[in-house]
Amino acid sequence: MLDIRPVGYVIGLLVAILGATMVFPMFVDVIDGRGEWHVFLQSGIISVLTGGLMALSCANGVREGLTIQQTFLLTTLVWVALPIFGAIPFVFGATELRFVDAFFEAMSGLTTTGSTVISGLDALPRGLLLWRGILQWLGGIGIIVVAMVFLPELRVGGMQIFRSEGFDTMGKILPRAQEIAGQITVIYVGLTVACLTVYAALGMNFFDALVHAMTTVSTGGFSNYDASFGTFSGPAEYAASVFMILAALPFVRYVQLVNGHSAPILRDSQIQVFLIVIGVLVVATTFVLTSIFPHHIEQAFREALFNITSIISGTGYASVDYMNWGPLLITMFFVIGLIGGCAGSTACSVKIFRYQLLFASIKTQLQRIRSPHGVFLPRYQGRAVGPDVLSSVMSFFVFFIVSLGILSWALSLTGLDFITSLSGAATAIANVGPGLGDQIGPAGNFSGLNDTAKWLLSAGMLIGRLEVLSVYVLFTLQFWRA
């Protein structure tokens, strides 16, 4: 029988930690003299007590490591439990959101999706704005640990190809995870501080620089303003583009770099392809903007660089309403949202390495057709790729596309139009943020959607953030029988 005590213990600790972080927005509201500080005090007490009691009640079942069953269950339930408690300040705070909206906002934050149901961000208490940033910052570092430790161990979506990429958990998931998480945290904090410093030097006040640094490095995209990053047009867009790209690169390479090994980050084909794709898209978009619209070259390049980097990395900031750029570029923005960044980063969506493996597999199949008696193997970074990896990647693509289709269909049944349904499903599963159209596009938000659509999109964010397969496996009989 499956022992859920180790799972409950870890979830309880994480809920308690989440509750403890509510002290920071509470102090901000106290300093500002806002009466909202008690909301975070009450929410923090509820979260710490609930999480602490859960951890204490399950402590007698803790072992050195987790079984595969327990790890699958933990990976999904953490991203269900934390948004529930992360939603509490939105319910009792100045927004006074209904629970469905508060849960949507918290899920969007912790999955670093960046979709929002809140209008009038400019007038919100700074405590709530900071809380939105904290949710995304915690979600960003959390997903790095999941992508580097848990998913390779669970052989989800081809992630097992990275088991030898600097870290090997050797089946003892939790003990090794603690060591890896410590190294990642130092680098993650360092990137955040560097981003904050640059933003402040470019004219942002300290609070805006802090929140936007957290949501940039986490590739989350929550902003303190309804106009998103359009409030800071100019040099800050270049800085944000740089840090979004840095956050979308594999963090294992940073760990290797600080340990004196620079070759891996320079030779990583995933990084090379990612940068080439961004470069090609930016040049093409700049050309279109200067040819069709009245843009200066610098402005066109800056807007193209920022918005393309934002969407492909899954950050979801917008500096302009690119819905006005014409159908060609609008379609391009939809497609690049389904590309994503590198594996083991804060970025989301399909990921570059899966497209590399897909094209390598197609190339190999074409070679076999041309030379039936030859022996051809798909290769990734010079290494032959086994059939188990390819099967896992192909399964991911199938489930990703099927999930996108089913979620789009389900959203359309709630009364949404085709563009809103399709782009809403894509932005949820790919964890991008804004969709397309007047309602959920870069100039709008998700507040006008019906409750059913918000629950569906929340589920889509969870499924997409956890690489699809690690969630679906919980719904198979074999999983519970094992």
Side-chain angles (χ1 to χ4, degrees):
M1 182 177 177
L2 177 62
D3 185 3
I4 65 171
R5 289 176 298 173
V7 176
Y9 177 75
V10 176
I11 292 176
L13 287 180
L14 293 176
V15 168
I17 292 171
L18 181 72
T21 62
M22 294 181 188
V23 70
F24 298 110
M26 182 190 76
F27 281 141
V28 169
D29 279 345
V30 169
I31 293 171
D32 288 349
R34 301 291 296 249
E36 300 294 328
W37 64 268
H38 63 85
V39 170
F40 290 103
L41 177 62
Q42 296 166 356
S43 302
I45 291 174
I46 292 172
S47 301
V48 170
L49 287 179
T50 304
L53 290 173
M54 181 185 299
L56 286 174
S57 64
C58 297
N60 61 340
V62 176
R63 296 186 307 222
E64 183 181 357
L66 294 175
T67 66
I68 295 298
Q69 273 183 308
Q70 291 168 337
T71 306
F72 271 116
L73 198 59
L74 173 64
T75 304
T76 300
L77 291 184
V78 163
W79 255 264
V80 175
L82 293 184
I84 291 174
F85 290 91
I88 297 175
F90 295 118
V91 175
F92 298 123
T95 53
E96 295 184 346
L97 296 178
R98 295 174 304 125
F99 182 73
V100 58
D101 293 311
F103 183 81
F104 179 98
E105 193 77 9
M107 178 65 80
S108 178
L110 284 163
T111 57
T112 69
T113 302
S115 304
T116 184
V117 294
I118 301 177
S119 301
L121 293 170
D122 309 53
L124 277 187
R126 294 202 304 169
L128 273 176
L129 294 174
L130 178 60
W131 180 238
R132 296 169 82 242
I134 288 174
L135 286 175
Q136 292 208 319
W137 194 82
L138 293 175
I141 192 171
I143 202 60
I144 296 172
V145 174
V146 168
M148 290 180 60
V149 181
F150 292 94
L151 298 184
E153 195 69 37
L154 301 177
R155 301 175 177 269
V156 170
M159 291 294 290
Q160 62 266 38
I161 199 172
F162 298 107
R163 287 186 64 180
S164 61
E165 291 289 330
F167 300 111
D168 191 350
T169 60
M170 302 298 289
K172 296 181 179 180
I173 296 173
L174 277 184
R176 187 58 172 150
Q178 294 170 0
E179 180 182 341
I180 298 173
Q183 299 178 68
I184 292 172
T185 301
V186 173
I187 295 170
Y188 192 71
V189 171
L191 275 178
T192 306
V193 172
C195 187
L196 185 158
T197 303
V198 172
Y199 281 161
L202 293 175
M204 286 190 192
N205 64 58
F206 178 80
F207 182 78
D208 284 340
L210 173 63
V211 174
H212 286 88
M214 289 193 292
T215 59
T216 299
V217 173
S218 65
T219 61
F222 275 162
S223 176
N224 293 340
Y225 303 93
D226 287 334
S228 189
F229 219 86
T231 309
F232 309 106
S233 60
E237 290 176 271
Y238 289 114
S241 300
V242 170
F243 281 100
M244 285 188 286
I245 290 174
L246 291 175
L249 303 184
F251 270 66
V252 65
R253 299 306 182 201
Y254 294 135
V255 174
Q256 293 169 329
L257 184 63
V258 299
N259 287 320
H261 304 288
S262 60
I265 196 170
L266 298 175
R267 297 175 182 171
D268 194 323
S269 65
Q270 204 183 177
I271 296 175
Q272 295 168 359
V273 172
F274 179 62
L275 296 179
I276 290 171
V277 169
I278 290 179
V280 171
L281 291 172
V282 169
V283 170
T285 304
T286 302
F287 176 78
V288 172
L289 289 177
T290 53
S291 301
I292 302 177
F293 303 100
H295 280 74
H296 296 295
I297 294 179
E298 187 279 330
Q299 179 189 2
F301 174 78
R302 173 166 42 85
E303 292 181 354
L305 173 65
F306 177 85
N307 289 283
I308 286 172
T309 303
S310 176
I311 297 301
I312 198 172
S313 67
T315 308
Y317 286 139
S319 62
V320 294
D321 184 2
Y322 46 76
M323 291 299 298
N324 298 322
W325 284 2
L328 174 63
L329 293 182
I330 291 173
T331 303
M332 183 195 73
F333 273 101
F334 176 82
V335 172
I336 65 176
L338 301 178
I339 296 177
C342 301
S345 71
T346 62
C348 51
S349 197
V350 175
K351 304 289 194 311
I352 290 292
F353 88 94
R354 290 195 178 96
Y355 286 104
Q356 290 178 281
L357 290 174
L358 174 65
F359 291 132
S361 179
I362 293 173
K363 177 183 176 181
T364 300
Q365 191 60 35
L366 291 175
Q367 290 174 326
R368 289 170 179 166
I369 293 173
R370 187 174 64 249
S371 304
H373 301 294
V375 177
F376 305 99
L377 294 174
R379 307 186 75 83
Y380 178 77
Q381 300 200 139
R383 294 180 299 170
V385 179
D388 61 326
V389 175
L390 289 178
S391 175
S392 185
V393 170
M394 299 310 163
S395 298
F396 175 88
F397 272 109
V398 170
F399 275 92
F400 187 90
I401 294 171
V402 169
S403 299
L404 176 61
I406 292 176
L407 183 55
S408 301
W409 172 72
L411 289 172
S412 68
L413 293 181
T414 69
L416 302 183
D417 62 84
F418 175 76
I419 295 297
T420 303
S421 299
L422 180 61
S423 67
T427 196
I429 292 179
N431 303 117
V432 174
L436 300 178
D438 296 331
Q439 189 170 14
I440 62 172
N445 62 39
F446 290 71
S447 60
L449 302 186
N450 57 75
D451 289 355
T452 304
K454 291 172 184 173
W455 285 120
L456 288 170
L457 290 171
S458 296
M461 294 179 208
L462 171 67
I463 292 169
R465 183 75 279 189
L466 296 181
E467 307 282 343
V468 182
L469 295 171
S470 61
V471 178
Y472 288 152
V473 72
L474 301 182
F475 296 93
T476 62
L477 290 177
Q478 290 84 352
F479 173 82
W480 298 102
R481 289 174 178 172

